[in-house]
């Protein structure tokens, strides 16, 4: 074993220190977006101070000063208004420690520790953002950190050479690239565990997307955003435009102005037991029919637990709960992209029998108000042969009378909003139409409810997946009919069929209100569509294969590999592929190839010495090639020229940086001379 | 019990030239790499608890980095050829200088490789542009006699310091350590003291010392013509030289009034240096060996070597050169 006691210089060199500081800055920079902004000047000041120390412009800070600075930093973190034991606080403290650590880096060992903490922080920054740019920046930071590691091992002499920075960078990049195959293998095959202990929620509770109340105008607000809600990819059958009703929440309670969920329906913690007790999710309440949709959805972070699926969903995996009203929810608020696999049978019959609770909650109406509507409903029902006929009559009214679909509806005030909409303004969008439809149903005792979710989505070019954006938000209705169960009804479709077929953009094309107020949305620029499409596909792949790679995906992947392995040629192919990757990898590492360690010119020179030996001229080890050539040419005067030329070439190759004067093929020339020697 | 050192000795026998190959290179993670392993473990926990794929990726990337590093550090050492050039002779107690020629395979640049011994000299080697270079290492010598530098440690932590790769080279090269020159004052021998200060008889027609000029005679060497005089006078003069034949000084073991072998050798060693520096002619007579009076560098070395090897077993002929 290699012991101690070597007279090795352990000090960090000037260049090593500069590298270290650069790496520190690179690591700390992204935290500026998430943590108190004052950390930045503190970190910069610490770096600047250290640079002054290396340049000899100021002394190494004394212990007292260091302790004071650290205390100040901790106090700063404490008073920044962050929760005491939150991740933010801990990361801030870690960052401060990281920034101050460089002040006391003197020995190489300390430099290595700084780099290690840097690696840790790069990973920690991904707790704050997992976007593609953040990932790319992370790779950049890893390269710089590895470069700092290398620069701290280079000798001062080597660091003085002009391209030392470039060579460190090059080496760091090469090393990290060569790490990739192994990293991917570990990433794919390393078992994934579920969280070991519960972690304090640290992300901001900003909620986006559809919420659990629907006042008139809410969904119009969403329509101003082109943010992504989720992406879905299908295996097998793909839904048609009028089948893409992504069902999210059920709004049962109407207070005269807005629709919302009943408190006991959305408080997830209580819901788990309570609601299931009230409306037990019975398998046999769905009469499964028709062809299923099998799909995979990756939901963006919303800070809310609602999931959107094609209903009725019979099978859904992951951390989800299914409810009696066919909702699917996540077990917690969605704080990072969530991937879910689901199976839906859209042609099924739902709830041929209605539970008492469901009947009551889907018949609720305020005790008074909207008298005109109630009277109208009663009259129309009396005119109809049955409930189904009444539903059709109401819908036909929407289609035939002068109702308009607009994202700029007039304000309806606080009272009798249904009356005002149905008989006065007659202008509105999905929430108006679905709201008044459900009201008209309930007014005559037909169970009905509002469903909010998304309608449609945009297929990417290859049709691999569907991107659903906030402006696809939609509200429709479900009405319960004897013998049929719940039927989906979209009154908006009767007013503006283009909303279903062509999406919101088509439906409001005439008034130009699509993404109004969002002037910089790329959706306004048709020529950007190609780029947008590509970016979107990239995002999807990133979400699907990297961020979304979990226990479930691992199982599926391994299973599909094993399934396919059953056929021998395929197994051979996969085996060959793996072998190929490994060979390529080893080649990259330079582990293959000729095992000759000796440079070719040394081999040739060795041959030359052997020839000389035959002539009785022995080379002493301390003789330089030049000295030996002199002696040899004295003894073999007729070969003197050859000996001299050969030795000169050899010496040039060995000792002259940059090689010989004869660039073309010194080795070939050496071989030729050797032959001449005979 | 397994003795690592003995095993290494068997595995790496002494040689004039050694190429560091796979069987000779050892590699282990350095102590500091434990720090990185701890970080990796922490990151794995973070990855599990936050179910964050990117944290996993960094974690696995670092694992891969640790692995790849083994190859990198190994490669930085492998293929290096170390050839012993010489071990310079020295006096006991001084540093013996070992000269090595180190060359690298054609396409592999070498950085930050250390050569040396524990608590002795350590030399850093970089082979970037050049194919080979010579380095000198010094090792302290204690006893007179033949000296083979101990097994040389060669190690590197390049490129990241996470691993240490090391190897050993036993260089089959010998230097002579002369007895430490210590002059011991003693009642001088009559024979020597008389002649110490006399210059001896002149031998004319010599070539060493300028003795004057005389008129040129045909046949005189043109080298000896006094051109300065010719320029002044127009006549040719020839410079004449003389050699001195000093009376032989004999450094005689028998006549020394010192007890003990080593002190006697040390004293003789000191006297040889003294006479050599005074350009005197001296001979050496020690039991079993007599060296006729002469002078010059080669003679000095012959005498000192005789002293150094006094009483030591004869070495095989192969080392004579």
């Amino acid at each position: 074993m290699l012991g101690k006691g070597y007279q090795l210089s352990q000090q960090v060199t000037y260049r090593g220190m500069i590298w270290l500081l650069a790496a520190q800055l690179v690591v700390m920079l992204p935290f500026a977006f998430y943590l108190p902004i004052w950390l930045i000047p503190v970190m910069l000041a610490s770096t600047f101070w250290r640079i002054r120390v290396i340049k000899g412009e100021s002394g190494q800070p004394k212990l007292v000063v260091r302790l004071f600075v650290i205390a100040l930093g901790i106090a700063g973190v404490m008073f920044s208004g962050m929760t005491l034991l939150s991740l933010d606080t801990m990361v801030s403290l870690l960052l401060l420690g990281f920034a101050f650590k460089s002040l006391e880096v003197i020995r190489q060992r300390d430099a290595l520790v700084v780099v290690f903490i840097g690696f840790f922080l790069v990973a920690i920054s991904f707790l704050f953002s997992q976007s593609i740019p953040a990932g790319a920046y992370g790779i950049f930071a890893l390269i710089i950190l590895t470069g700092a590691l290398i620069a701290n091992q280079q000798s001062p002499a080597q660091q003085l050479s002009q391209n030392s920075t470039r060579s460190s960078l090059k080496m760091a990049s090469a090393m990290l690239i060569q790490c990739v195959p192994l990293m991917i293998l570990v990433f794919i095959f390393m078992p994934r565990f579920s969280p070991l202990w519960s972690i304090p929620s640290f992300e901001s509770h900003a909620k986006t997307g559809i919420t659990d109340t629907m006042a008139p105008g809410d969904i119009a607000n969403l329509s101003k955003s082109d943010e992504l809600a989720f992406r879905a990819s299908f295996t097998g059958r793909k839904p048609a435009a009028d089948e893409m009703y992504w069902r999210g929440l059920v709004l049962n309670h109407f207070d005269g102005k807005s629709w919302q969920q009943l408190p006991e329906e959305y408080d997830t913690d209580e819901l788990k037991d309570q609601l299931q007790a009230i409306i037990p999710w019975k398998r046999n309440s769905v009469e499964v029919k028709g062809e299923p949709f099998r799909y995979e959805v990756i939901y963006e972070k919303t800070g809310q637990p609602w999931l959107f699926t094609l209903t009725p969903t019979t099978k859904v995996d992951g951390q989800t709960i299914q409810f009696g009203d066919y909702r699917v929810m996540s077990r917690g608020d969605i704080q990072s992209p969530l991937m879910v696999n689901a199976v839906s049978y859209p042609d099924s019959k739902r709830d041929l029998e209605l539970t008492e609770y469901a009947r009551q909650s889907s018949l609720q109406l305020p005790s008074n108000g909207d008298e005109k509507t109630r009277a109208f409903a009663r009259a129309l029902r009396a005119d109809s042969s049955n409930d189904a006929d009444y539903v059709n009559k109401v819908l036909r009214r929407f289609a035939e009378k002068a109702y308009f679909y607009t994202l700029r509806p007039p304000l309806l005030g606080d009272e009798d909003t249904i009356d005002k909409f149905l008989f006065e303004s007659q202008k509105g969008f999905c929430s108006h139409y679905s709201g008044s439809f459900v009201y008209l149903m309930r007014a005559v005792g037909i169970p009905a409810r509002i469903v909010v979710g998304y309608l449609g989505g945009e297929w990417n070019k290859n049709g691999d997946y569907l991107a659903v954006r906030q402006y696809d938000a939609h509200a429709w209705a479900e009405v319960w009919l004897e013998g049929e169960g719940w039927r989906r009804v979209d009154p908006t479709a009767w007013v503006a069929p283009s909303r279903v077929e062509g999406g919101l953009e088509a439906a409001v094309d005439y008034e130009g209100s699509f993404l109004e107020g969002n002037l910089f949305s790329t959706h306004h620029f048709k020529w950007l569509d190609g780029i947008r499409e590509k970016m979107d596909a990239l995002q999807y792949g990133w979400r699907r294969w990297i961020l979304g790679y979990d226990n479930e995906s691992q199982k599926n992947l391994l299973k599909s590999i094993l399934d396919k392995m059953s056929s021998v040629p395929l197994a051979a192919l996969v085996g060959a592929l793996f072998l190929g990757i490994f060979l390529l990898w080893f080649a990259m590492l330079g582990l293959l190839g000729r095992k000759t360690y000796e440079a070719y010119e040394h081999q040739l020179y060795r041959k030359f010495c052997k020839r000389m030996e035959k002539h009785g001229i022995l080379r002493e080890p301390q003789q330089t090639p030049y000295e030996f050539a002199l002696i040899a040419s004295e003894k073999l005067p007729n070969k003197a020229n050859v000996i001299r030329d050969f030795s000169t070439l050899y010496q040039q190759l060995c000792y002259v940086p940059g090689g010989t004067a004869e660039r073309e093929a010194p080795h070939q020339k050496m071989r030729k001379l050797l032959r001449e020697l005979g | 019990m397994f003795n690592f050192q003995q095993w290494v000795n068997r595995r790496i026998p002494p040689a004039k030239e050694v190429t560091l190959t796979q069987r000779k290179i050892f590699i282990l993670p350095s102590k500091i790499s434990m720090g990185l392993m701890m970080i990796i473990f922490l990151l794995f926990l973070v990855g599990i608890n936050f179910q964050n794929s990117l944290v996993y990726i960094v974690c696995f990337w670092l694992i891969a980095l640790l692995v790849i590093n083994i190859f990198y550090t190994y490669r930085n050492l492998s293929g290096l050829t170390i050839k012993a050039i010489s071990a310079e002779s020295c006096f006991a107690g001084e540093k013996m200088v070992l000269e090595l020629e180190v060359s690298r395979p054609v396409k592999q640049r070498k950085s930050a490789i250390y050569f040396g011994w524990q608590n002795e000299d350590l030399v850093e080697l970089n082979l970037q542009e050049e194919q080979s270079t010579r380095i000198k290492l010094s090792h302290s010598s204690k006893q007179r006699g033949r000296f083979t530098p101990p097994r040389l440690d060669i190690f590197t932590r390049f490129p990241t310091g996470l691993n240490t790769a090391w190897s050993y080279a036993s260089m089959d090269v010998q230097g002579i350590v002369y007895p430490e020159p210590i002059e011991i004052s003693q009642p001088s021998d009559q024979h020597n003291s008389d002649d110490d200060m006399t210059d001896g008889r002149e031998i004319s027609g010599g070539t060493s010392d300028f003795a004057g000029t005389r008129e040129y005679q045909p046949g005189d060497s043109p080298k000896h013509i006094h051109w300065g005089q010719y320029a002044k006078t127009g006549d040719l003069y020839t410079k004449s030289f003389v050699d001195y034949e000093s009376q032989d000084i004999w450094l005689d073991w028998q006549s020394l009034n010192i007890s003990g072998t080593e002190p006697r050798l040390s004293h003789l060693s000191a006297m040889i240096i003294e006479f050599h520096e005074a350009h005197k002619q001296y001979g050496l007579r020690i039991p079993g060996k007599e060296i006729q009076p002469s002078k010059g560098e080669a003679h000095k070395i012959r005498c000192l070597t005789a002293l150094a090897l006094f009483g030591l077993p004869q070495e095989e002929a192969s080392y004579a050169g």
Side-chain angles (χ1 to χ4, degrees):
Chain A
M1 273 11 74
L2 205 62
K4 287 178 176 175
Y6 297 99
Q7 295 165 0
L8 197 60
S9 161
Q10 303 277 8
Q11 296 261 316
V12 172
T13 55
Y14 177 77
R15 231 190 155 83
M17 197 64 220
I18 294 287
W19 260 97
L20 211 58
L21 291 173
Q24 261 192 316
L25 276 184
V26 168
V27 168
M28 293 188 290
L29 199 67
F31 289 97
F33 295 110
Y34 320 114
L35 296 178
I37 195 75
W38 59 265
L39 280 171
I40 296 301
V42 169
M43 294 186 285
L44 282 175
S46 155
T47 308
F48 182 67
W49 190 355
R50 188 62 179 102
I51 288 178
R52 278 179 61 87
V53 173
I54 354 174
K55 285 189 171 164
E57 287 164 10
S58 87
Q60 192 78 25
K62 290 191 178 59
L63 183 68
V64 187
V65 181
R66 292 207 305 259
L67 285 178
F68 177 71
V69 169
I70 290 167
L72 214 63
I74 292 174
V77 171
M78 292 299 150
F79 290 106
S80 291
M82 286 184 285
T83 331
L84 200 60
L85 276 174
S86 68
L87 190 96
D88 284 6
T89 319
M90 285 187 271
V91 174
S92 302
L93 286 177
L94 189 60
L95 271 175
L96 275 179
F98 185 59
F100 293 146
K101 176 73 187 165
S102 67
L103 282 176
E104 55 165 30
V105 168
I106 298 166
R107 298 189 314 145
Q108 270 182 10
R109 176 173 292 263
D110 302 317
L112 280 154
V113 170
V114 168
V115 173
F116 294 167
I117 300 175
F119 282 137
F120 186 72
L121 281 169
V122 168
I124 292 298
S125 73
F126 293 137
L127 295 183
F128 294 90
S129 170
Q130 297 194 69
S131 63
I132 294 180
Y137 188 85
I139 292 175
F140 169 68
L142 285 184
I143 292 175
I144 298 293
L145 280 166
T146 312
L149 215 53
I150 294 169
N152 269 293
Q153 293 299 320
Q154 282 175 333
S155 64
Q158 212 178 330
Q159 287 171 351
L160 284 178
S161 75
Q162 279 179 340
N163 52 8
S164 83
T165 308
R166 230 184 58 208
S167 77
S168 308
L169 260 183
K170 219 169 110 186
M171 190 163 208
S173 317
M175 275 176 90
L176 286 175
I177 289 170
Q178 286 165 351
C179 284
V180 169
L182 188 60
M183 184 266 284
I184 290 176
L185 278 184
V186 182
F187 183 77
I188 292 176
F189 292 108
M190 179 68 97
R192 301 298 151 93
F193 306 99
S194 30
L196 302 178
W197 61 86
S198 78
I199 33 169
S201 175
F202 63 90
E203 289 191 62
S204 63
H205 279 274
K207 295 183 178 185
T208 53
I210 286 173
T211 57
D212 54 358
T213 57
M214 185 184 80
D218 277 357
I219 288 183
N221 281 336
L222 277 179
S223 69
K224 287 176 185 152
S225 160
D226 62 349
E227 247 177 75
L228 189 72
F230 58 88
R231 291 191 181 89
S233 58
F234 290 81
T235 44
R237 194 156 81 96
K238 287 175 188 168
D242 62 349
E243 286 176 307
M244 289 193 287
Y245 281 89
W246 297 93
R247 197 172 182 276
L249 288 78
V250 175
L251 307 182
N252 267 327
H253 187 78
F254 184 58
D255 63 1
K257 191 181 179 212
S258 62
W259 295 82
Q260 54 193 294
Q261 301 193 77
L262 291 170
E264 67 259 32
E265 285 176 350
Y266 62 82
D267 190 339
T268 37
D269 285 335
E270 287 177 30
L271 205 62
K272 275 173 211 161
D273 317 311
Q274 204 187 341
L275 195 72
Q276 275 175 333
I278 300 169
I279 328 172
W281 163 243
K282 280 184 290 180
R283 198 50 171 228
N284 56 12
S285 65
V286 174
E287 201 176 290
V288 173
K289 273 187 175 172
E291 281 289 298
F293 290 121
R294 297 174 194 280
Y295 52 101
E296 179 188 85
V297 191
I298 302 167
Y299 299 98
E300 292 296 302
K301 158 179 156 178
T302 57
Q304 303 187 87
W306 328 124
L307 301 181
F308 304 90
T309 55
L310 299 172
T311 216
T313 310
T314 55
K315 200 177 146 228
V316 60
D317 65 6
Q319 299 278 312
T320 52
I321 330 170
Q322 282 173 278
F323 292 104
D325 55 4
Y326 305 99
R327 262 183 307 161
V328 181
M329 278 170 70
S330 148
R331 282 191 188 277
D333 290 349
I334 304 171
Q335 298 293 11
S336 59
L338 174 75
M339 193 167 81
V340 160
N341 279 295
V343 180
S344 302
Y345 286 83
D347 302 332
S348 305
K349 292 213 178 302
R350 294 176 289 161
D351 287 348
L352 290 173
E353 301 281 325
L354 205 56
T355 61
E356 195 46 39
Y357 177 87
R359 180 179 295 277
Q360 273 178 19
S361 55
S362 51
L363 282 173
Q364 175 271 341
L365 277 183
S367 48
N368 49 34
D370 296 311
E371 297 306 331
K372 214 171 156 188
T373 308
R374 289 179 201 237
F376 169 77
R378 276 192 297 271
L380 194 64
R381 176 67 186 87
D383 220 23
S384 315
S385 53
N386 55 22
D387 286 353
D389 187 37
Y390 171 68
V391 170
N392 283 336
K393 282 205 161 79
V394 169
L395 291 174
R396 234 176 341 215
R397 183 185 153 81
F398 281 135
E400 286 162 6
K401 300 273 173 188
Y403 285 98
F404 295 98
Y405 185 81
T406 174
L407 286 179
R408 301 164 180 160
L411 292 175
L412 298 173
D414 284 337
E415 280 171 11
D416 295 336
T417 52
I418 306 282
D419 280 0
K420 282 178 198 156
F421 170 69
L422 275 180
F423 305 110
E424 289 166 32
S425 76
Q426 303 194 341
K427 291 188 176 76
F429 50 91
C430 59
S431 57
H432 298 93
Y433 290 104
S434 57
S436 50
F437 175 80
V438 170
Y439 197 100
L440 283 169
M441 293 299 125
R442 289 183 177 184
V444 294
I446 303 173
R449 57 195 182 190
I450 301 253
V451 175
V452 288
Y454 296 89
L455 169 61
E458 188 183 14
W459 289 101
N460 81 327
K461 257 208 182 75
N462 301 328
D464 306 327
Y465 64 84
L466 187 78
V468 178
R469 300 178 184 282
Q470 294 302 351
Y471 60 68
D472 291 319
H474 191 53
W476 60 96
E478 279 178 351
V479 55
W480 188 84
L481 297 170
E482 197 69 46
E484 193 185 334
W486 288 106
R487 180 205 282 187
R488 185 184 66 219
V489 177
D490 186 1
T492 315
W494 292 76
V495 181
S498 54
R499 171 68 186 89
V500 179
E501 300 299 331
L504 183 69
E505 192 176 0
V508 296
D509 194 34
Y510 73 95
E511 65 177 14
S513 60
F514 180 64
L515 291 178
E516 204 179 20
N518 193 347
L519 283 176
F520 296 104
S521 164
T522 51
H523 286 261
H524 286 309
F525 306 105
K526 287 288 165 219
W527 53 275
L528 275 176
D529 276 2
I531 296 167
R532 197 162 52 81
E533 182 94 23
K534 284 203 179 72
M535 290 298 293
D536 208 60
L538 192 69
Q539 282 276 358
Y540 175 72
W542 176 254
R543 286 265 190 275
R544 170 67 186 81
W545 292 108
I546 297 181
L547 303 188
Y549 190 80
D550 57 5
N551 207 2
E552 206 62 36
S553 342
Q554 190 175 38
K555 249 190 277 173
N556 290 340
L557 185 73
L558 294 186
K559 199 167 151 269
S560 74
I561 290 175
L562 286 178
D563 281 353
K564 283 174 188 155
M565 285 297 218
S566 55
S567 82
V568 176
L570 213 104
L573 191 79
V574 172
L577 201 77
F578 266 83
L579 196 72
I581 289 173
F582 268 92
L583 282 179
L584 193 77
W585 191 43
F586 280 132
M588 261 171 19
L589 288 171
L591 293 177
L592 296 179
R594 286 191 311 165
K595 274 283 172 191
T596 44
Y597 289 108
E598 210 175 24
Y600 192 46
E601 59 264 27
H602 293 321
Q603 293 173 27
L604 288 172
Y605 193 73
R606 202 176 281 273
K607 275 187 195 158
F608 169 78
C609 290
K610 284 244 172 72
R611 297 260 159 93
M612 290 293 112
E613 235 169 275
K614 273 186 208 151
H615 291 289
I617 310 160
L618 205 70
R619 184 183 169 221
E620 304 294 343
Q622 69 271 21
Q623 281 171 349
T624 63
Y626 174 73
E627 286 164 353
F628 184 59
L630 281 185
I631 293 166
S633 47
E634 247 172 55
K635 293 199 180 162
L636 289 175
N638 53 332
K639 294 275 166 80
N641 277 342
V642 184
I643 292 171
R644 198 195 56 221
D645 288 353
F646 184 86
S647 303
T648 314
L649 258 175
Y650 173 63
Q651 268 192 318
Q652 279 175 345
L653 274 174
C654 288
Y655 300 105
V656 180
T660 61
E662 290 156 273
R663 274 268 61 148
E664 58 273 12
H667 290 117
Q668 250 153 14
K669 186 143 190 230
M670 277 174 85
R671 271 217 312 270
K672 209 182 91 200
L673 288 168
L674 208 56
R675 273 199 301 275
E676 278 175 38
L677 264 179
Chain B
M1 220 187 97
F2 178 71
N3 187 323
F4 181 73
Q5 297 304 329
Q6 276 177 13
W7 179 75
V8 169
N9 282 342
R10 259 179 286 126
R11 201 177 173 86
I12 305 176
K16 281 237 185 296
E17 186 176 321
V18 61
T19 296
L20 304 183
T21 50
Q22 201 188 328
R23 35 178 293 123
K24 292 183 190 131
I25 295 176
F26 307 91
I27 187 157
L28 273 181
S30 59
K31 240 185 249 159
I32 192 77
S33 73
M34 299 303 284
L36 187 62
M37 290 179 201
M38 221 175 72
I39 294 281
I40 289 172
F41 179 69
L42 275 177
L43 282 181
F44 191 60
L45 287 185
V46 172
I48 287 175
N49 253 13
F50 288 87
Q51 298 282 305
N52 189 312
S53 280
L54 296 186
V55 173
Y56 274 131
I57 287 184
V58 174
C59 172
F60 300 152
W61 212 323
L62 291 178
I63 291 177
L65 188 69
L66 271 179
V67 175
I68 296 276
N69 226 284
I70 299 173
F71 297 120
Y72 264 81
T73 313
Y74 163 79
R75 199 173 55 178
N76 193 38
L77 210 53
S78 83
L80 211 61
T81 301
I82 299 131
K83 194 154 89 181
I85 299 298
S86 68
E88 282 170 20
S89 301
C90 70
F91 291 95
E94 284 182 358
K95 299 272 187 189
M96 141 120 16
V97 175
L98 174 68
E99 190 175 4
L100 302 172
E101 186 178 272
V102 186
S103 46
R104 64 171 170 92
V106 209
K107 278 180 185 160
Q108 297 179 8
R109 299 186 164 194
K110 306 285 180 189
S111 307
I113 297 175
Y114 293 90
F115 285 76
W117 300 275
Q118 284 174 44
N119 305 315
E120 289 281 350
D121 202 11
L122 191 72
V123 167
E124 187 187 332
L125 175 90
N126 289 292
L127 281 174
Q128 297 291 321
E129 300 300 329
E130 55 293 79
Q131 281 289 327
S132 61
T133 188
R134 288 191 176 198
I135 56 171
K136 282 184 175 177
L137 285 160
S138 64
H139 190 284
S140 54
S141 62
K142 289 203 179 75
Q143 276 180 327
R144 69 173 177 94
R146 298 182 188 91
F147 180 80
T148 305
R151 205 176 55 207
L152 190 65
D153 298 338
I154 304 161
F155 63 92
T156 184
R157 300 215 165 98
F158 197 78
T160 58
L162 295 174
N163 294 97
T164 309
W166 77 98
S167 185
Y168 305 101
S170 278
M171 298 291 31
D172 189 0
V173 62
Q174 252 185 1
I176 304 290
V177 178
Y178 310 135
E180 190 183 357
I182 307 169
E183 194 172 350
I184 298 165
S185 56
Q186 49 156 338
S188 292
D189 185 85
Q190 187 67 36
H191 177 77
N192 279 348
S193 61
D194 271 1
D195 301 309
D196 264 359
M197 306 312 289
T198 55
D199 274 344
R201 187 162 52 85
E202 270 185 22
I203 305 167
S204 59
T207 51
S208 313
D209 285 357
F210 183 62
T213 54
R214 59 176 169 75
E215 266 184 49
Y216 175 79
Q217 287 163 1
D220 280 347
S221 164
K223 265 202 246 173
H224 290 169
I225 290 170
H226 197 303
W227 295 107
Q229 198 90 342
Y230 173 74
K232 274 188 231 156
T233 62
D235 294 325
L236 280 174
Y237 288 90
T238 302
K239 291 186 267 187
S240 65
F241 294 87
V242 289
D243 279 347
Y244 298 96
E245 186 197 74
S246 52
Q247 271 184 320
D248 298 346
I249 309 167
W250 278 99
L251 292 166
D252 195 339
W253 175 276
Q254 298 299 336
S255 60
L256 288 182
N257 196 5
I258 303 167
S259 63
T261 310
E262 297 306 320
R264 277 184 200 226
L265 292 172
S266 284
H267 178 73
L268 289 173
S269 169
M271 296 314 290
I272 289 172
I273 297 168
E274 193 183 311
F275 292 145
H276 174 76
E277 275 163 10
H279 296 290
K280 282 181 186 160
Q281 204 146 284
Y282 55 91
L284 178 69
R285 209 178 279 135
I286 52 174
K289 191 147 199 173
E290 188 177 299
I291 297 171
Q292 287 303 314
S294 176
K295 59 185 188 178
E297 194 65 30
H299 178 66
K300 178 187 89 173
I301 287 168
R302 223 149 67 92
C303 293
L304 286 172
T305 306
L307 291 180
L309 302 182
F310 174 76
L312 296 177
Q314 195 71 40
E315 196 73 20
E316 306 94 272
S318 62
Y319 295 107

